Amino acid sequence: MDRIFSGVQPTGNLHIGNYLGAIQNFVKIQKRENISKAYYCVVDLHAITVWQNPLQLKKETLETAASFIAAGIDPKKSIIFNQSRVSSHAELAWILNCVCRIGWLNRMTQFKEKAGKNKEKASVGLYAYPVLMASDILSYKSNLVPVGDDQKQHLELARDIANKFNHDYEVNFFPEIEPLIFGSATRVMSLRNGKNKMSKSDESEFSRINLLDDKDTIKNKIKKAKTDSETIMGLEAIDSSGEFNSNISIQRPEAVNLLNIFCGVENLSKKEAVKTFSGKNFSDLKDALTDSLISKITPIGMEIKKMISDKKYLESILLEGAEIAEEDSKKNLLEIKNIIGFN
Ligand code: TYM
């Protein structure tokens, strides 16, 4: 039986990158058989690796939980909770810090991007961030982890940590971690620059569509999205695996991005989307994309807004989830301590 774990940071508005790359897939996985448990975690311990205003953090933790439920994660089927309520995450992270090698962390590209030029001033937490991710997953001995493409390197590191633990202590305790990266929009790019990832931290609001954006905002943002001067490409842009070939992705990143988003929202293959728009102008694609985002994303946003006003309900979901997560992870942590030789 499979055990699922994934996490989302409560740092600012969730956007369609988070939704298409990850949260939509959490919902799809719910229908799979063969799943013993699924944990969806609001990772507030990860959030404080960079400064967070306490009141804002509280608010956004609830908002992220609301987004999970509004997107279709059923709290009766999945365990929704926030990380700081379950002590095993931080405790196991320390143990795994002693398993992970500095050289492995030095290779993490996301740390380099986030710390930028001022590495000396970055928090130790930001550096050890991926070890806490490994701890999140392994606290529940989860094997399947649905994420967007940007988390692939972190999950490879988590797998290496699990394997080294098993090897060093001569046990077969942790399962092999498998990233689940699927769908048409595993890496949604900025609407202002198709070479940059769509991100909560981008200064420009026009770079992303947030789940809470209303119809007019969506329309306006798509209207202003960067394009190029050609018409939409033909089927020659698709390779044998059904993806955009690397040449077209480098030469026309904005066109590829808008088509990928359209496919993600409409659940279409890239071939189908290209067939529909080949030779047409960007305005045709933008009109269709606007309609599609308005019909699929704004209902989720409205549901989030409704849910946020019921703080008691959201609190109760997080508390109940944390109780189950605490119990499940405690059992594993006891076994881990025993393996290590702690009394
Ligand atoms: P976070 O909060 O940055 O993003 C949450 C999820 O959204 C995906 N994502 C994207 N997918 C496609 N295109 C984009 N532009 C885009 N931006 C974000 C991310 O891949 C992610 O799946 N470190 C994680 C949270 C985490 C976690 C974990 C994930 C903590 N512990 C354990 C899995 C397992 C993060 O920062 O996600």
Side-chain angles (χ1 to χ4, degrees):
M1 292 290 263
D2 292 319
R3 295 169 84 85
I4 315 277
F5 185 96
S6 198
V8 176
Q9 292 199 60
T11 47
N13 275 332
L14 292 183
H15 51 70
I16 55 167
N18 301 122
Y19 178 68
L20 299 175
I23 300 171
Q24 192 182 45
N25 290 347
F26 304 169
V27 179
K28 284 185 185 159
I29 291 169
Q30 250 174 191
K31 295 200 190 90
R32 283 196 190 181
E33 288 170 5
N34 219 31
I35 289 174
S36 63
K37 277 192 177 171
Y39 303 86
Y40 294 115
C41 185
V42 183
V43 292
D44 47 7
L45 294 175
H46 277 105
I48 62 158
T49 54
V50 295
W51 169 251
Q52 300 297 326
N53 171 301
L55 286 179
Q56 192 71 12
L57 182 62
K58 263 192 199 287
K59 177 176 162 273
E60 279 169 6
T61 299
L62 291 184
E63 223 168 274
T64 308
S67 307
F68 284 175
I69 301 168
I73 299 174
D74 180 352
K76 291 199 185 78
K77 288 190 188 144
S78 302
I79 300 148
I80 298 174
F81 68 106
N82 60 312
Q83 198 182 22
S84 62
R85 278 213 173 99
V86 181
S87 56
S88 315
H89 291 250
E91 214 177 330
L92 179 59
W94 176 258
I95 294 171
L96 300 181
N97 272 332
C98 300
V99 176
C100 182
R101 306 290 94 181
I102 289 177
W104 298 357
L105 285 181
N106 284 343
R107 286 197 280 277
M108 294 299 111
T109 53
Q110 206 163 86
F111 174 74
K112 290 179 197 158
E113 281 161 24
K114 285 197 175 165
K117 287 194 190 109
N118 222 345
K119 235 168 49 184
E120 296 289 316
K121 291 229 168 105
S123 71
V124 175
L126 190 66
Y127 184 64
Y129 181 110
V131 184
L132 181 58
M133 278 183 68
S135 169
D136 296 338
I137 301 161
L138 297 171
S139 287
Y140 307 94
K141 295 176 80 172
S142 298
N143 60 322
L144 296 183
V145 187
V147 283
D149 184 67
D150 62 329
Q151 296 301 315
K152 199 169 166 194
Q153 193 187 34
H154 287 161
L155 295 191
E156 281 162 5
L157 180 87
R159 187 160 55 193
D160 288 345
I161 293 174
N163 288 344
K164 182 163 165 55
F165 180 95
N166 284 348
H167 174 267
D168 290 355
Y169 290 101
E170 297 181 3
V171 288
N172 194 11
F173 186 76
F174 289 131
E176 193 80 5
I177 293 171
E178 194 190 317
L180 283 183
I181 301 172
F182 65 94
S184 296
T186 56
R187 193 175 184 83
V188 177
M189 308 309 275
S190 156
L191 299 177
R192 305 300 295 159
N193 179 349
K195 292 194 185 92
N196 294 342
K197 197 181 72 174
M198 184 177 284
S199 153
K200 293 172 195 164
S201 53
D202 195 314
E203 275 170 17
S204 167
E205 268 297 318
F206 281 89
S207 67
R208 61 184 164 262
I209 306 277
N210 298 316
L211 297 186
L212 289 175
D213 283 347
D214 60 24
K215 290 179 189 173
D216 289 340
T217 310
I218 292 178
K219 205 170 170 181
N220 210 8
K221 285 181 177 176
I222 294 296
K223 197 171 154 197
K224 295 223 165 80
K226 191 175 170 199
T227 56
D228 55 46
S229 54
E230 295 173 50
T231 57
I232 308 296
M233 53 277 213
L235 282 174
E236 67 285 352
I238 307 281
D239 68 17
S240 55
S241 65
E243 293 299 320
F244 286 103
N245 65 46
S246 51
N247 276 347
I248 204 86
S249 302
I250 293 166
Q251 285 158 9
R252 306 190 62 189
E254 284 83 19
V256 167
N257 189 37
L258 292 176
L259 284 163
N260 277 343
I261 296 174
F262 187 70
C263 291
V265 183
E266 286 296 326
N267 258 316
L268 288 176
S269 72
K270 316 225 162 149
K271 215 172 178 174
E272 286 169 305
V274 168
K275 260 191 199 159
T276 310
F277 294 105
S278 173
K280 293 192 176 161
N281 294 320
F282 272 100
S283 57
D284 297 311
L285 172 57
K286 283 186 167 185
D287 287 348
L289 182 56
T290 302
D291 289 346
S292 156
L293 286 167
I294 288 174
S295 80
K296 299 272 165 62
I297 301 297
T298 50
I300 298 175
M302 275 168 357
E303 193 58 33
I304 298 173
K305 283 181 194 148
K306 211 160 74 190
M307 231 174 249
I308 293 171
S309 61
D310 194 351
K311 287 203 174 64
K312 272 206 178 124
Y313 169 71
L314 291 172
E315 278 289 350
S316 74
I317 295 289
L318 288 174
L319 263 176
E320 277 169 36
E323 271 171 29
I324 302 171
E326 179 80 34
E327 202 183 310
D328 293 352
S329 58
K330 267 251 155 69
K331 269 190 234 148
N332 289 327
L333 192 61
L334 268 180
E335 284 188 59
I336 294 165
K337 286 181 168 177
N338 201 16
I339 291 170
I340 293 174
F342 293 157
N343 282 316

